[in-house]
Amino acid sequence: MSDERRAEHRGYVVAIDQGTTSTRCILFDHAGRLVAVAQREHRQHYPRPGWVEHDAAEIWRNVARLVPQAMAQVEATPADVVAVGIANQRETVVAWDRRTGDPVSPAVVWQDTRTADLVTELAGAAGPDRFADVCGLPLTTYFAGPRMTWLLRRDPGLRRRAEAGDVLFGTIDSWLVWNLTGGPDGGHHVTDVTNASRTMLMDLRTLDWSAQLLAAFEVPRAALPRIVASSEVYGTARSVVPGARIAAALGDQQAALFGQTCFSPGEAKCTYGTGSFLLMNTGTEITRSSHGLLTTVAHRIGDEPPSYALEGSIAVTGALVQWLRDNLGLISTAPEVETLARTVEDNGGCYFVPAFSGLFAPHWRAEARGLIIGLTSFVTKGHIARAALESTAWQTREVVEAMDADSNLRLASLRVDGGMTSNNLLMQTLADVLDAPVVRPMVSETVSLGAAYAAGLAVGFWPDTEALRRRWHRAGQWEPTMDPAERERGWEDWQQAVQRTFGWIRTPTTDPTTR
Amino acid sequence: MPGPIQSIERAAAVLRLLSGAGQGLGVVDVGNALGLAKTTAHGILRTLVDVGFVEQDEAGDYRASPGLADLGRPRIDANDLRAHAVNWTDSLASRTGESVKLATLVDGRALVVHHVFRPDDSAQELLTGTSLPAHACALGKVLLASAPVRPRGRLSALTARTTVDAAALRRTLAAVREQGWALDVEELAEGAAGIAAPVRDRGGLVVGAVGIDGDADRLVDTRGRPRAGLVPAVCQAARSISRGLGSRAD
C-alpha cells in the first residue's frame, strides 16, 4: 500500500458510464480500485411500438449531478481529478442547437426500429451489405447513420440548419464532451473513433467520414463532429469538474474490452447489460466476418494505429429481465429473477426468444419477433424466469460459435463483465451451455474501468497498457457441469425456437412500427 | 423511562386507519380522521412510504403496503443483496489481497451469497451457495450478534479453538456489537482467520455480513490481533454496501 501515498499516484480518474437505462459516475484510484459510485436511471420513452427515445437534456442533467455526488463520497475536489473518461451507450443519436445547447429532437436510441423501411430502401437491390466494405456494418436499424437520415428527411428546416452548422449531430459521447467543455460557449464537437465506427458513415480504413457514405445517407458533414482518438486530451471541463481534462471516450462495449485489458489480438470479452456484446480484439488489421459478426474499431490510443475488433451483438438480455419486472410484474427487482428461477429445477420445456427488436448477431433478422414456446399446463412463472435467463446463455453460444468459425479457434474460456454477472445462476448456465469456464474479473464495472484506463493513459496517470494488464485479476470462475447430451438437446431446442421467430413481420403493413 | 413518543403513536394510528379503510386515502382524509395538520399527516405518510409500510397508488392515494404482512420475512432478497454489494466486495478484495465473502443468516448458519476470489489468480473454487457454522466464523458472529435468538447449550467444535460454550459466545457477541466488527482466528479451520462487519439496510437492521478470510499469518499478528488496515477496510466496505441499501448509519 506504500506506493499509493506517493505524490504522482494521488488523485482519481472520473469515469462516466452513460448507459441505456442509467448513468453512472465512478471514481477509480491509481491502483484501479473503485472508490466511489453514484448512479441514476433516466426515463425511457416508447411513443410507438418499436420506438425508443431518451431526453438528452435529462441525461446531461444526470451527469452534471452524479459527478459531484460521487466526488463527495471521497471528498474529492476538481483538483483531485486527474482525468475524466466517458463510456456511452452506442448508436444513439442526439441533435442539438449549437447556440442554445437544447436538443432539437428526442434522442433516438439504439434499440429503436423506426428506420426499418429506410434501411430496406437504402439497401436496394445490393442488399444489406451494400456499404459493409467501407464501414464494416450491414444496413439494419441498429446503427446511428440511418437515424440521422430519418431525422433530416422528416424536417427540411432541420436539414437547412444542419447544413449551416447550426444544428449539431452526434452520439452520446459527442453530446457529453460538448457540454462538459463549455456547451454553447466554445464546447468541442468531437466523437471518438469507436463511436464513429457505429454510424455507418466512417471509412474503417481512413478513420474519417466517407464522402460516399455521407452522400448515400444524406448527412451534411457540417453537422458532424470531428473524429478523434479514444484516448487523448480533448479539452478541459468548463463545468461539473472545472479544470479537469476530458481525456477519453469510447463506446461502452469497446470501453469494456479496454477495461478487461484485451489489448492483444485474439483476446475477447462479453459484457452483460441491457444487451450483451461479445468483442474480440483482431489487432491492427481489419477482419471481415462471414458468420454475421460486425467489424468495428476497438480503440485508438493517441497517434498509435487503431485496433479493430469483431463483435457479436445481442440486442436483448438484461432488457428481458427488466421486461419481466416492468411489463409482467413477475419480480420487483432485477436480481430477484434468480430467486424466482431457482424455484424450479429446469426450464420445464419452455424457451423464450426475446427478439423484441428483431434478432441481431448472428442472424440479423429485422422481421423476427419474440416468442415463448414449449408452454404446457406444467409451466410456471419460475420456468419462464429460467427460460429468460437461459436465453441470454443460448444467445451467447450463438455469437461464440460465429466467433469460433470466423477465427478458426475455439474459445478456451469466456471473460465476462457487466451487471448480470452478479447473477450466479446465469453465470453457471453460461458455463454449462458454452462448455467452457466463465471468468469474472475483479472489477465487474469494466465499462467504467475502461473509460478510466483510457483517460488515465492519455494524461500519464498510468504509463502503458502493460501496467494496466497487470491489474487484471480473476474474481470468480464458473466451471461447466452440464451433461453433454442435455446440453446438445437444449441447443437443438433453442435453435428450433429461434427458427420459429423468423418471418413474423411479413410485409411493412403487418409491422405496427410503420403503420 | 421516557414517555410514549408522539410521532410513533401517530404513525401507528395512520397504519391502523389505512389497513382498515379498504380503499386508498388522501392526505386530507388521513389528517381529518386523526385530527392532524395536513403537513404533519403528509410527513408521516411520506416516512411510512419510505420505510415500505405504506404505498401510494396511481391516483396518489395511500394504502397500507402488502409488505406489512411480511415483516418477519427476510428484509432483502439475497440475490438483490449480492447485486448491491458486488462493486464493494471487489474493491475490498483488491485492497486487502484476500478473498471476500458476503453472507446472510439462514437456519442458524452463515449462507455465503457472494464470494470473490483472493486476487492472486491462483486456482480457487467458487463457494457461493455453501454455508458455514455461524458460531465459528467472523461472518457468522456478526450475523448472530444482531439476531433475535441467543445461542444456547454446547456448540460444535471445528478446531481446538472454536468457541463451544454458549455463554462464552454470548460474551463475544456482545463485544462484536460494541466494536462493530468480528474476528475469528483458527476457530473454523486450522491456520485460517477471518474479519467481518455488518451490512445494514435503511432502517439500520443488519441484513448481512461482509468479510475477508485467509491465512491467519496474513490476517493477524503473532498475538492474534488483526493486522493494520484490515479492520478499517472491512468496515468501510460494509458501510459502502449499507449506504447503497439506503442506510444512513455512517
Side-chain angles (χ1 to χ4, degrees):
Chain A
M1 278 198 199
S2 64
D3 71 341
E4 79 183 326
R5 292 195 191 90
R6 289 187 4 217
E8 67 267 34
H9 291 168
R10 279 218 305 260
Y12 305 108
V13 180
V14 168
I16 298 167
D17 171 9
Q18 203 305 296
T20 307
T21 58
S22 72
T23 305
R24 256 175 289 200
C25 175
I26 298 185
L27 269 59
F28 293 94
D29 65 11
H30 187 263
R33 290 188 296 240
L34 180 153
V35 297
V37 54
Q39 174 173 358
R40 194 180 179 90
E41 294 202 354
H42 56 266
R43 275 168 299 174
Q44 307 289 320
H45 301 278
Y46 307 104
R48 300 188 197 183
W51 289 33
V52 187
E53 297 177 348
H54 292 159
D55 175 2
E58 180 189 8
I59 285 175
W60 167 242
R61 278 198 306 276
N62 286 353
V63 168
R65 201 179 319 188
L66 289 168
V67 175
Q69 262 180 31
M71 287 168 59
Q73 288 173 17
V74 287
E75 293 168 8
T77 67
D80 299 321
V81 175
V82 297
V84 178
I86 294 167
N88 58 285
Q89 54 167 318
R90 308 176 300 173
E91 304 102 11
T92 296
V93 168
V94 188
W96 68 96
D97 186 306
R98 182 198 287 277
R99 285 182 182 75
T100 64
D102 296 327
V104 298
S105 86
V108 185
V109 178
W110 61 273
Q111 300 147 314
D112 189 292
T113 56
R114 74 183 64 183
T115 56
D117 289 350
L118 178 65
V119 296
T120 307
E121 176 206 314
L122 287 166
D129 285 333
R130 182 177 168 199
F131 304 119
D133 195 38
V134 184
C135 65
L137 308 172
L139 268 161
T140 77
T141 59
Y142 179 25
F143 304 109
R147 299 202 164 92
M148 298 183 190
T149 315
W150 189 93
L151 289 168
L152 288 161
R153 277 193 185 178
R154 196 183 55 152
D155 180 356
L158 183 66
R159 173 172 300 282
R160 277 194 300 278
R161 292 162 71 203
E163 283 166 352
D166 292 332
V167 165
L168 303 179
F169 278 75
T171 36
I172 296 282
D173 57 317
S174 301
W175 170 243
L176 296 184
V177 173
W178 188 81
N179 276 292
L180 281 166
T181 54
D185 187 15
H188 299 317
H189 189 216
V190 295
T191 187
D192 109 281
V193 66
T194 68
N195 276 292
S197 79
R198 316 295 295 185
T199 57
M200 301 199 76
L201 304 177
M202 189 185 79
D203 187 326
L204 274 179
R205 288 156 297 202
T206 64
L207 304 184
D208 195 2
W209 303 120
S210 151
Q212 177 208 344
L213 296 177
L214 293 185
F217 287 92
E218 306 155 20
V219 176
R221 189 183 275 260
L224 290 177
R226 183 166 56 89
I227 301 175
V228 294
S230 322
S231 171
E232 76 173 71
V233 177
Y234 308 136
T236 302
R238 302 275 293 276
S239 63
V240 183
V241 252
R245 289 169 289 183
I246 314 298
L250 301 102
D252 50 13
Q253 297 310 317
Q254 282 88 343
L257 191 68
F258 209 89
Q260 286 262 26
T261 65
C262 296
F263 299 127
S264 301
E267 294 181 331
K269 66 85 206 179
C270 192
T271 303
Y272 291 87
T274 306
S276 292
F277 302 85
L278 179 66
L279 273 76
M280 180 191 277
N281 187 321
T282 58
T284 53
E285 299 296 319
I286 296 175
T287 305
R288 309 281 178 179
S289 171
S290 45
H291 298 89
L293 304 176
L294 310 174
T295 306
T296 199
V297 178
H299 61 259
R300 183 178 192 186
I301 301 171
D303 295 331
E304 291 176 21
S307 283
Y308 294 92
L310 278 176
E311 170 175 325
S313 331
I314 308 169
V316 176
T317 53
L320 181 55
V321 176
Q322 286 169 344
W323 186 84
L324 295 180
R325 181 192 67 185
D326 299 336
N327 295 39
L328 296 193
L330 286 186
I331 44 179
S332 57
T333 66
E336 279 176 25
V337 73
E338 182 174 352
T339 312
L340 180 56
R342 283 188 189 277
T343 59
V344 292
E345 288 294 307
D346 55 30
N347 65 15
C350 175
Y351 288 79
F352 196 152
V353 187
F356 292 177
S357 356
L359 284 170
F360 284 14
H363 308 289
W364 298 106
R365 300 292 289 247
E367 86 299 346
R369 285 298 177 270
L371 61 73
I372 306 177
I373 201 163
L375 296 179
T376 61
S377 317
F378 175 72
V379 169
T380 64
K381 59 186 178 181
H383 296 112
I384 290 178
R386 206 168 253 266
L389 288 181
E390 288 180 357
S391 77
T392 293
W394 292 122
Q395 290 186 100
T396 305
R397 173 148 174 190
E398 291 179 332
V399 294
V400 164
E401 296 220 335
M403 202 69 84
D404 288 351
D406 273 333
S407 64
N408 286 317
L409 296 167
R410 190 180 181 280
L411 200 71
S413 69
L414 182 67
R415 287 187 178 192
V416 298
D417 53 74
M420 284 180 102
T421 56
S422 72
N423 189 313
N424 222 46
L425 178 61
L426 172 62
M427 292 300 107
Q428 184 58 53
T429 307
L430 198 52
D432 284 341
V433 309
L434 295 179
D435 194 19
V438 168
V439 183
R440 182 179 85 79
M442 198 52 87
V443 175
S444 53
E445 298 278 359
T446 48
V447 171
S448 293
L449 185 65
Y453 277 174
L457 271 185
V459 300
F461 192 51
W462 292 297
D464 51 35
T465 52
E466 271 313 302
L468 299 178
R469 199 192 280 279
R470 284 195 297 272
R471 286 178 162 76
W472 189 97
H473 292 295
R474 191 185 319 131
Q477 178 159 328
W478 292 265
E479 301 290 341
T481 57
M482 195 184 229
D483 166 57
E486 191 189 339
R487 177 186 303 122
E488 281 324 294
R489 202 162 45 241
W491 177 229
E492 281 167 24
D493 288 348
W494 167 259
Q495 288 172 299
Q496 251 201 96
V498 168
Q499 291 293 325
R500 284 172 161 79
T501 68
F502 294 168
W504 180 257
I505 305 294
R506 293 177 297 285
T507 65
T509 54
T510 65
D511 184 355
T513 322
T514 51
R515 258 203 297 260
Chain B
M1 274 292 279
I5 298 169
Q6 189 185 39
S7 57
I8 294 180
E9 290 181 329
R10 285 174 169 175
V14 169
L15 284 176
R16 283 212 183 85
L17 179 71
L18 293 179
S19 300
Q23 61 175 52
L25 297 179
V27 177
V28 176
D29 304 325
V30 171
N32 288 345
L34 301 176
L36 298 174
K38 190 178 162 191
T39 51
T40 309
H42 187 250
I44 291 170
L45 286 164
R46 288 311 318 168
T47 308
L48 290 171
V49 168
D50 283 348
V51 299
F53 287 180
V54 169
E55 289 179 348
Q56 206 169 4
D57 62 23
E58 279 169 11
D61 289 336
Y62 295 91
R63 296 167 181 279
S65 163
L68 258 185
D70 301 330
L71 272 180
R73 291 183 40 200
R75 303 270 299 188
I76 181 166
D77 182 271
N79 295 310
D80 225 355
L81 182 62
R82 182 193 310 120
H84 275 100
V86 67
N87 283 331
W88 305 112
T89 48
D90 282 355
S91 268
L92 180 58
S94 167
R95 184 172 294 273
T96 59
E98 300 297 340
S99 93
V100 172
K101 293 190 183 80
L102 177 73
T104 59
L105 196 62
V106 175
D107 299 331
R109 290 174 68 87
L111 175 69
V112 177
V113 297
H114 184 47
H115 174 201
V116 182
F117 288 172
R118 188 172 60 251
D120 59 7
D121 298 333
S122 62
Q124 294 164 65
E125 190 192 346
L126 207 57
L127 298 175
T128 305
T130 61
S131 72
L132 304 167
H135 67 283
C137 63
L139 290 164
K141 289 184 201 176
V142 164
L143 296 167
L144 290 174
S146 64
V149 190
R150 290 294 155 87
R152 296 197 186 283
R154 195 159 175 82
L155 305 156
S156 60
L158 290 113
T159 70
R161 298 185 62 170
T162 310
T163 307
V164 291
D165 175 48
L169 182 63
R170 287 200 297 272
R171 283 193 296 278
T172 303
L173 298 183
V176 168
R177 279 193 293 275
E178 181 69 23
Q179 67 187 10
W181 52 274
L183 173 72
D184 77 81
V185 182
E186 299 195 273
E187 294 160 55
L188 183 65
E190 307 284 350
I195 301 169
V199 173
R200 298 173 187 277
D201 73 359
R202 60 172 305 141
L205 226 63
V206 174
V207 291
V210 65
I212 57 175
D213 54 60
D215 283 354
D217 292 347
R218 287 198 307 267
L219 264 66
V220 295
D221 62 19
T222 48
R223 295 163 64 184
R225 293 175 309 196
R227 292 193 186 276
L230 295 180
V231 168
V234 170
C235 291
Q236 192 188 334
R239 275 197 306 273
S240 295
I241 300 167
S242 303
R243 187 171 57 217
L245 296 173
S247 169
R248 283 162 293 189
D250 252 313

